Amino acid sequence: MSYANSRIPSSAQQGMHESLLKRLEKHRREPFRKPYADYNREALAAALAGWDRRAPLILDAGCGVGHSTIQLARAYPDHWVMGVDQSEDRLTRRKPYPQALMPKNLVFVRADLVDFWRLLGDEGLKLARHYILYPNPWPKIGHLGRRWHAHPVFPHLLPLGGVLECRTNWQVYAEEFACALGLLTEREMGWEAFEAPVPLTPFERKYRDSGQTLFRIVTDLGAGLALSSGESK
């Protein structure tokens, strides 16, 4: 099988979903009250156990096999980098460095991000940098609610603050993500095509080598934006 044969997500949806704005307004207005799972509380405790409470925090959300987490830890040695994924199998796959050469300023934890994001907020924690790299685009029209920017948890990302960066190989996802951020922050929000000379993830490398255009949204949320009065932790 050829390596550089990755396909762009295929969908009957060619532009922003017509229901996105209505869904975002609903999420901003109505509290999200999903109960926390105990294992996610334990995951947060594990993620913070090695943190000295001084180093700025970086979250690699949906880190997969963790190559991006390692690169981020090497790039920001004075930060504490948390790689979070829901798959134990992905997290435990062989890393590109032997354990002795792994950065010491990182931790991998298995957690559901829907809980993990909200638990970070409950603790009053702020992120210096926040990465959402190549999330499942859920390209079918009926799967809008499974995309992070259309999920009820999305407003809870904003109070975490920091530089938020999302990367995707589907232009529609970039457009929607930027639109969602723009609506919730009341800021002008754009997206851009970019090149990845040093890919952060195996997917990014494969997409690049397949000749695909890569897209990203980068914005500085600063110290974080408060949830609207209708939102609940």
Side-chain angles (χ1 to χ4, degrees), residues 158-222:
L158 307 186
L160 299 177
V163 176
L164 173 61
E165 179 167 352
C166 177
R167 298 186 184 184
T168 180
N169 65 326
W170 188 32
Q171 182 173 325
V172 171
Y173 198 97
E175 293 173 352
E176 289 187 348
F177 197 98
C179 177
L181 277 176
L183 176 68
L184 296 177
T185 62
E186 298 182 347
R187 300 177 185 172
E188 190 70 25
M189 202 68 61
W191 53 273
E192 64 179 359
F194 76 103
E195 297 181 356
V198 182
L200 275 178
T201 78
F203 278 124
E204 185 164 78
R205 181 178 300 279
K206 186 173 183 179
Y207 297 152
R208 182 201 66 178
D209 293 350
S210 297
Q212 295 185 24
T213 302
L214 306 177
F215 306 94
R216 67 183 174 190
I217 306 94
V218 184
T219 188
D220 189 348
L221 296 173

Side-chain angles (χ1 to χ4, degrees), residues 4-42:
N5 64 346
S6 180
R7 296 182 180 181
I8 299 170
S10 177
S11 177
Q13 182 186 330
Q14 297 302 305
M16 281 205 312
H17 199 291
E18 61 181 12
S19 298
L20 176 61
L21 296 182
K22 181 179 179 181
R23 189 177 292 262
L24 285 166
E25 290 289 3
K26 178 182 178 182
H27 295 335
R28 184 161 63 172
R29 183 175 64 250
E30 298 180 2
F32 182 41
R33 302 189 186 280
K34 176 183 176 292
Y36 295 136
D38 288 341
Y39 85 91
N40 290 316
R41 295 183 186 276
E42 294 166 2

Side-chain angles (χ1 to χ4, degrees), residues 61-77:
C63 68
V65 295
H67 291 199
S68 52
T69 313
I70 295 169
Q71 290 202 60
L72 290 169
R74 290 169 65 89
Y76 298 96

Side-chain angles (χ1 to χ4, degrees), residues 40 71 102 106 109 161 199 202 206 227 230 232:
N40 290 316
Q71 290 202 60
M102 287 281 284
L106 66 76
V109 293
K206 186 173 183 179
L227 290 169
S232 169

Side-chain angles (χ1 to χ4, degrees), residues 79-106:
H79 290 55
W80 181 250
V81 186
M82 301 173 288
V84 179
D85 200 90
Q86 66 178 351
S87 170
E88 188 72 24
D89 175 68
R90 287 192 290 265
L91 288 171
T92 55
R93 287 184 198 174
R94 185 176 179 180
K95 303 297 186 279
Y97 301 99
Q99 189 61 38
L101 297 180
M102 287 281 284
K104 304 304 181 186
N105 61 318
L106 66 76

